[in-house]
Amino acid sequence: GESVGLHLPTLSVQEGDNSIINCAYSNSASDYFIWYKQESGKGPQFIIDIRSNMDKRQGQRVTVLLNKTVKHLSLQIAATQPGDSAVYFCAERGSGTYKYIFGTGTRLKVLA
Amino acid sequence: DTAVSQTPKYLVTQMGNDKSIKCEQNLGHDTMYWYKQDSKKFLKIMFSYNNKELIINETVPNRFSPKSPDKAHLNLHINSLELGDSAVYFCASSQDSHTEAFFGQGTRLTVV
């Protein structure tokens, strides 16, 4: 069946440290991947995306890595701040489809 | 200005009632979606419309009926509400199948 990630784990990180959030996806035909951040009471907010013809993409304080061989996606957040506390979702989209399949999310807690 | 707006933000209703959630996007996007987020934060696509045409219908009970009067609006009507319909419903839009989806703030539906 469809699955992107299987748990809702919690990652606790000290303020100022780097965070790495991982995601496994199941559809090898997916060609577009997105990371979303969802704060309490709000909708998912786009952070960064990557297409399948790339293996790394950098934004402001964030880097997404894509390993198609093992169907793995990661989000790295540099110098994690309290405002980064949220649930993070990876999402994949199959080639030629309009369907975004979301993982179950990872809760990031930033410790002061 | 809110890019994707949905109303109401909260909806509490009794079992058996019929209710609607409205969604509007001012981004000029061609594609709109409805997602359901359960109590475990899992986000699952329900419907997708492209240029007012239904393109995804993900095994959703026919009590749920989306309506797209124009490209900027995608409303969700739910008949005969059940306890299991309680969830947060998110509307989203994207320019096409190759770009990220923008989400609304969600509608928390509670069926009592």
Side-chain angles (χ1 to χ4, degrees), chain B:
Chain B
D1 288 339
T2 303
V4 181
S5 59
Q6 40 183 124
T7 55
K9 188 171 172 62
Y10 299 98
L11 184 54
V12 181
T13 188
Q14 290 188 326
M15 277 194 303
N17 284 351
D18 303 337
K19 291 292 178 186
S20 292
I21 306 171
K22 295 186 176 180
C23 178
E24 176 182 5
Q25 54 96 2
N26 62 6
L27 297 167
H29 288 168
D30 289 340
T31 308
M32 295 186 73
Y33 312 82
W34 277 107
Y35 278 82
K36 179 180 180 181
Q37 187 171 47
D38 62 22
S39 58
K40 297 180 181 178
K41 296 289 190 181
F42 186 67
L43 270 161
K44 184 169 172 55
I45 190 165
M46 301 173 67
F47 301 103
S48 176
Y49 271 71
N50 185 53
N51 282 319
K52 301 195 301 174
E53 289 190 20
L54 179 67
I55 52 173
I56 295 174
N57 182 343
E58 282 289 301
T59 324
V60 178
N62 56 17
R63 297 183 295 104
F64 291 78
S65 53
K67 294 259 186 328
S68 182
D70 55 58
K71 279 194 339 180
H73 295 84
L74 180 62
N75 304 322
L76 183 65
H77 188 75
I78 315 170
N79 289 327
S80 303
L81 278 154
E82 300 177 357
L83 292 176
D85 297 332
S86 295
V88 181
Y89 292 84
F90 287 100
C91 177
S93 73
S94 66
Q95 179 56 49
D96 49 40
S97 63
H98 305 290
T99 55
E100 73 273 21
F102 291 80
F103 283 78
Q105 293 296 292
T107 296
R108 181 174 293 279
L109 171 66
T110 304
V111 183
V112 297

Side-chain angles (χ1 to χ4, degrees), chain A residues 3 22 34 37 41 43 55 60 63 67 86-87 93 96-98 111:
Chain A
S3 65
N22 296 304
I34 308 174
K37 173 186 180 183
D55 52 21
Q60 187 177 12
T63 301
N67 185 331
V87 177
R93 198 208 52 226
T97 76
Y98 288 87
L111 308 172

Side-chain angles (χ1 to χ4, degrees), chain A residues 52-70:
Chain A
S52 59
N53 60 353
M54 304 172 69
D55 52 21
K56 180 179 180 179
R57 189 155 189 239
Q58 288 185 292
Q60 187 177 12
R61 282 202 307 119
V62 294
T63 301
V64 56
L65 298 177
L66 174 63
N67 185 331
K68 294 183 288 294
T69 303
V70 295

Side-chain angles (χ1 to χ4, degrees), chain A residues 20-86:
Chain A
I20 300 177
I21 301 171
N22 296 304
C23 175
Y25 64 94
S26 59
N27 186 356
S28 56
S30 292
D31 64 354
Y32 181 53
F33 304 86
I34 308 174
W35 279 100
Y36 282 94
K37 173 186 180 183
Q38 186 178 22
E39 296 174 287
S40 181
K42 296 185 178 180
Q45 179 185 8
F46 171 84
I47 301 173
I48 192 168
D49 60 359
I50 189 168
R51 302 191 188 279
S52 59
N53 60 353
M54 304 172 69
D55 52 21
K56 180 179 180 179
R57 189 155 189 239
Q58 288 185 292
Q60 187 177 12
R61 282 202 307 119
V62 294
T63 301
V64 56
L65 298 177
L66 174 63
N67 185 331
K68 294 183 288 294
T69 303
V70 295
K71 292 187 285 188
H72 183 268
L73 197 65
S74 69
L75 177 70
Q76 300 177 3
I77 305 174
T80 312
Q81 302 170 358
D84 295 327
S85 293

